[in-house]
Amino acid sequence: ARHRPQPGPFQRLDPPVSVVPGPMCPVQRAFRREPIACLPVPVWPDTAKEIGLNIVSKHQFRVKDEQLEENLAIIIEKIKAEPESKVLFLATHAPEGVKLVKLIKDAGLKHIIITPNSFSTQAFMTGFDLFSKEQANPGFYTNGIFVTTPLIFDTANAHAQHFRNSYRKRYNEEPDWHAAYSYDAAKVVVTAIEKTNITGKPETLKEDRNKIRNFLASLNSADNSVEGVTGFNYFDPQGD
């Protein structure tokens, strides 16, 4: 489904690399050897080339490796030995991201760190809570990291604020973008059921399914959409 966010002062979706000073600022990246984590691999070099970035090196690791901790430490040591690098792109999930960021900050590296939306989850944001440096100086590990995310609650619409407050009261924690998008997905389905007046009877199952399918297909633009926490929800001709 397409999500058109409500306009906000900080919702301009510039490429993350726009924060890099200079047209040929060297970049390093580390990523998991997992299918889902490797999706950015063929895209990143092409995009970097288009905007004039020089990829200094690439570092891989296996999540289930028994020597994961040691291998991550070796990666950071290799990065330290390449003084021309200025930016790190970490294409990993939250658990490995916590390990890498801790190693980077503990090593005193001053690189710009750019990360995917997996770092905007509670799993990453609370992953440093038990470390002494974080307890003594909250934000020691996370301050200054550039994280891509499809939703920023502080600049989101009124629906998002209501959802955020309700979520806090119910679960006693901050919602992340996964919760918001899951809520909107459910809202689209519930709206389809309400608008089509389906009966839910076994003998009308085929007809009911067609009604819901046709209603969802009619959500094809911002003007024909379901407004939710993340903005306007609708589908393109491919059903995305």
Side-chain angles (χ1 to χ4, degrees):
R2 298 289 178 180
H3 302 272
R4 176 175 292 181
Q6 293 284 0
F10 302 107
Q11 287 184 313
R12 180 181 174 188
L13 301 180
D14 289 333
V17 289
S18 64
V19 302
V20 180
M24 288 297 292
C25 183
V27 177
Q28 293 178 304
R29 68 189 304 277
F31 58 89
R32 299 161 36 127
R33 282 185 180 168
E34 298 292 328
I36 188 170
C38 288
L39 286 175
V41 174
V43 177
W44 173 253
D46 293 339
T47 303
K49 184 177 180 180
E50 289 177 5
I51 60 178
L53 291 179
N54 175 33
I55 300 179
V56 175
S57 60
K58 301 176 184 178
H59 304 279
Q60 298 179 335
F61 60 86
R62 294 187 181 278
V63 176
K64 297 183 180 180
D65 195 324
E66 293 182 355
Q67 297 179 319
L68 176 61
E69 303 283 349
E70 291 83 352
N71 290 337
L72 293 181
I74 291 173
I75 288 175
I76 302 305
E77 288 300 316
K78 289 181 179 179
I79 293 173
K80 288 176 63 177
E82 297 174 347
E84 69 274 22
S85 67
K86 302 297 180 183
V87 179
L88 293 176
F89 173 52
L90 307 180
T92 76
H93 290 309
E96 299 78 44
V98 170
K99 298 178 186 297
L100 277 169
V101 170
K102 184 177 186 300
L103 287 168
I104 291 168
K105 293 299 183 79
D106 286 346
L109 297 182
K110 303 301 181 182
H111 295 62
I112 294 173
I113 301 174
I114 300 174
T115 66
N117 55 27
S118 58
F119 285 49
S120 65
T121 61
Q122 289 295 322
F124 178 79
M125 291 184 283
T126 62
F128 304 93
D129 288 354
L130 299 180
F131 299 137
S132 58
K133 291 181 181 179
E134 183 69 19
Q135 292 175 347
N137 184 15
F140 176 84
Y141 290 106
T142 56
N143 283 348
I145 296 178
F146 290 86
V147 181
T148 59
T149 179
L151 179 67
I152 301 175
F153 277 104
D154 289 343
T155 60
N157 61 23
H159 296 284
Q161 305 313 317
H162 177 72
F163 171 80
R164 186 185 193 182
N165 292 333
S166 298
Y167 192 99
R168 285 167 166 172
K169 291 178 181 178
R170 179 65 183 272
Y171 300 107
N172 198 33
E173 65 180 23
E174 284 285 343
D176 58 23
W177 68 268
H178 292 96
Y181 274 78
S182 297
Y183 177 86
D184 273 9
K187 184 175 182 179
V188 169
V189 174
V190 171
T191 301
I193 294 173
E194 293 175 343
K195 295 291 186 180
T196 53
N197 297 314
I198 63 174
T199 64
K201 297 179 181 179
E203 58 269 24
T204 61
L205 181 59
K206 184 177 181 180
E207 181 182 353
D208 289 346
R209 285 177 172 173
N210 284 330
K211 286 182 178 180
I212 291 178
R213 184 266 169 208
N214 291 336
F215 175 81
L216 294 177
S218 73
L219 304 176
N220 55 16
S221 69
D223 294 327
N224 298 304
S225 63
V226 175
E227 186 176 6
V229 173
T230 61
F232 298 99
N233 298 273
Y234 57 93
F235 301 89
D236 66 14
Q238 286 72 47
D240 294 328

